[in-house]
Every structure is written in C-alpha cells, then in structure tokens.
Amino acid sequence: SPFQGQVHPGVTSAAMSTIVGPGVNGAVAGSEVTFLITARDALGNRNTRGGDAFRVRFLEDSAAPVLTITPQRTLDTATQPSLPTGEYLVTYMVAMANSYTLQVDLTTSAGARVPVGTSVLPVMHSAKSPFTVKVEEANTPFLAQLSFLSGAGISQATAGMPGLFSVATFDRAGVPMIIGGRSMRFKLDGETVEQGMAAFDDKQNGQYGVTYIVTVAGTYSLIVM
C-alpha cells in the first residue's frame, strides 16, 4: 500500500459523445469542411479504445456529398506505437448551396442506430444529431458584424507611420470564408477609407491585410463594413 490502478472508460455512449467543429455550422459549396466526433462513455469520459461504428449521412438525396470518416490515432514513435484517440474526423463537401439535415449516429453492438450528442451539456458546445447545416454559395457576401479584426493597428498607430491589422471574414451563417475577392469598406472616424488612403492585401483565403497611414495624432474610431 498504496496501490496504483487504472480506471478505463466505459462503453461508448452515443448520447454523450460530442460533435464539434466548423462543419457543424455550415460550409461553402464545392469546398471541404470538417468536424470532429469524440467517443465518450455515459459519464463523459473519452473512450480511446477505437473501433466505434459512427455513421454520418445527409438526409436529403440532393446533397450528394463527398464524405469521409477518418479515425484519429496518435503518432507512431520509437517507444510508443500508434494508438486510437477516440476521435473521428469527418470531412464533407457538397456541390450545391442549400440547407441540409446532417445525421450522426452510433451503431451499437445490438445493431441499433442511436443519435449522437443528445444528452451533452451546453457547456460542451456540441451539436445534437440530427442538425441543420447551411451550405452557402462560394460568392456569398460576408457579414461584417462577424468579421474578426486582429493586429496592433486596430488599437494604436503612430502619426505618419503605417498602421497594420488583419481581417478574417465570415459569411452570414458564421462559416469562415475561404476564398478572397470580397468587397469591403472601412470608415475611420466616419470617413470611408478607399484604396489609396490604405493598402488592402487580399490573401485569397478569406483573410485580408490592411495598411493605413494617419497624419494627425488623435483618437479615432474604426468600422468595418
């Protein structure tokens, strides 16, 4: 005494397993998106045994998705072989924009198919199967209110010197934009910032770099439109 022992997770519970990731919110037509299923037992412990028979499908035939489920494993090292993590990466792509119903279930040892995530607490931010995903057109307008700004230039700059910040764009469904070419404007203290007053660098992946110069010191407000 004392003795050491290991407590293993129980059998995977469909109701307590979780579904998280960007593909839960939606997708862009013609582009791959992912989400992660994590196998958990009835107490919420991750089940790392692997081999769980999760099934993912769109209920609408019109979705005609390209869809894969890939069990995740740890890296194989010289001292430790690759092992299951209890996570399953789902990748899907839908060609046509529309609202679709996505169903995730677990086939039990008795052959029953049980919906996943139905008893997960809200704090886990997990989807409950079945759930609706909105697939947007690739050229859908971004929603400025959901755009994310980062960089020193959003809070401070030096008069006469370049101020820099980045913008990550999201569509109206909250899905990150993955292509460029969006038309956006900025206002600095109510005055629209056009090309020439600032340099806009389209990264062609839904993100943009902005460089601007203010010549008069003061406090300014910056708005993305």
Side-chain angles (χ1 to χ4, degrees), residues 122-143:
V123 70
M124 299 294 287
H125 303 291
S126 171
K128 300 179 187 296
S129 178
F131 54 92
T132 300
V133 295
K134 177 70 173 177
V135 178
E136 298 278 1
E137 294 283 2
N139 62 352
T140 186
F142 79 97
L143 188 64

Side-chain angles (χ1 to χ4, degrees), residues 103-136:
Q103 181 171 302
V104 182
D105 52 41
L106 174 68
T107 303
T108 67
S109 57
R113 286 178 173 151
V114 185
V116 172
T118 55
S119 297
V120 177
L121 295 175
V123 70
M124 299 294 287
H125 303 291
S126 171
K128 300 179 187 296
S129 178
F131 54 92
T132 300
V133 295
K134 177 70 173 177
V135 178
E136 298 278 1

Side-chain angles (χ1 to χ4, degrees), residues 43-96:
L43 296 176
N45 300 298
R46 183 193 293 186
N47 188 345
T48 58
R49 294 188 182 94
D52 294 295
F54 287 106
R55 183 185 67 158
V56 180
R57 67 189 185 107
F58 285 84
L59 298 188
E60 297 82 5
D61 293 337
S62 59
V66 177
L67 190 152
T68 61
I69 305 176
T70 307
Q72 302 298 284
R73 301 183 65 88
T74 60
L75 292 176
D76 194 357
T77 67
T79 58
Q80 179 67 55
S82 175
L83 297 171
T85 67
E87 297 174 317
Y88 301 78
L89 182 68
V90 179
T91 303
Y92 72 86
M93 180 179 68
V94 176
M96 295 182 60

Side-chain angles (χ1 to χ4, degrees), residues 3-214:
F3 300 101
Q4 289 186 333
Q6 187 172 8
V7 178
H8 297 281
V11 175
T12 297
S13 163
M16 290 299 291
S17 295
T18 53
I19 312 167
V20 298
V24 170
N25 297 323
V28 175
S31 298
E32 287 188 345
V33 69
T34 63
F35 62 85
L36 199 65
I37 304 169
T38 301
R40 299 182 184 278
D41 67 13
L43 296 176
N45 300 298
R46 183 193 293 186
N47 188 345
T48 58
R49 294 188 182 94
D52 294 295
F54 287 106
R55 183 185 67 158
V56 180
R57 67 189 185 107
F58 285 84
L59 298 188
E60 297 82 5
D61 293 337
S62 59
V66 177
L67 190 152
T68 61
I69 305 176
T70 307
Q72 302 298 284
R73 301 183 65 88
T74 60
L75 292 176
D76 194 357
T77 67
T79 58
Q80 179 67 55
S82 175
L83 297 171
T85 67
E87 297 174 317
Y88 301 78
L89 182 68
V90 179
T91 303
Y92 72 86
M93 180 179 68
V94 176
M96 295 182 60
N98 208 337
S99 289
Y100 299 98
T101 305
L102 196 55
Q103 181 171 302
V104 182
D105 52 41
L106 174 68
T107 303
T108 67
S109 57
R113 286 178 173 151
V114 185
V116 172
T118 55
S119 297
V120 177
L121 295 175
V123 70
M124 299 294 287
H125 303 291
S126 171
K128 300 179 187 296
S129 178
F131 54 92
T132 300
V133 295
K134 177 70 173 177
V135 178
E136 298 278 1
E137 294 283 2
N139 62 352
T140 186
F142 79 97
L143 188 64
Q145 294 92 322
L146 293 181
S147 296
F148 179 74
L149 277 64
S150 61
I154 62 175
S155 60
Q156 61 182 351
T158 301
M161 301 294 291
L164 297 90
F165 63 90
S166 299
V167 182
T169 55
F170 294 77
D171 68 15
R172 57 179 174 267
V175 178
M177 307 297 284
I178 60 173
I179 60 176
R182 297 296 178 265
S183 175
M184 65 177 67
R185 294 180 299 157
F186 301 90
K187 280 190 175 181
L188 197 61
D189 258 21
E191 182 178 354
T192 301
V193 178
E194 305 288 358
Q195 191 78 23
M197 299 173 61
F200 298 83
D201 180 17
D202 186 346
K203 307 294 186 182
Q204 298 298 321
N205 61 358
Q207 301 195 29
Y208 301 79
V210 181
T211 304
Y212 67 93
I213 295 178
V214 176

